[in-house]
Amino acid sequence: MTESGAAPEDEAPHCSRKDCRADAAWVLVWNNPKVHTPERRKTWVACDEHRAYLAEFLDKRGFLLETVPVADFEG
């Protein structure tokens, strides 16, 4: 970690699930239409174990736009 709290470019991102420190394998792209403009894209990252949990949380609220492998994400 850097002093700003951001992960260095060569370090894999960690899962966004609370208390999970596993390397992320997935990027969940989402948008809250009540708060964000339509073009705004927010992201969470997930390990294989928590992908479904985080995706379901976002999808139930109508926020989930897409899920892509970390290696394929261009953002």
Side-chain angles (χ1 to χ4, degrees):
M1 286 285 193
T2 63
E3 285 185 41
S4 68
E9 298 259 341
D10 59 339
E11 186 177 314
H14 294 108
C15 182
S16 295
R17 175 76 163 106
K18 185 177 180 180
D19 297 326
C20 183
R21 300 302 299 156
D23 288 346
W26 301 95
V27 179
L28 289 80
V29 182
W30 61 279
N31 173 301
N32 178 344
K34 292 181 181 177
V35 179
H36 305 120
T37 59
E39 63 277 352
R40 177 84 187 264
R41 298 293 182 258
K42 304 279 288 180
T43 58
W44 284 353
V45 292
C47 64
D48 287 328
E49 180 181 352
H50 294 118
R51 173 188 176 192
Y53 173 85
L54 293 170
E56 183 178 328
F57 179 92
L58 293 168
D59 197 42
K60 279 185 178 180
R61 290 154 179 82
F63 297 172
L64 186 63
L65 300 174
E66 66 178 324
T67 302
V68 296
V70 167
D72 296 341
F73 182 68
E74 296 178 16

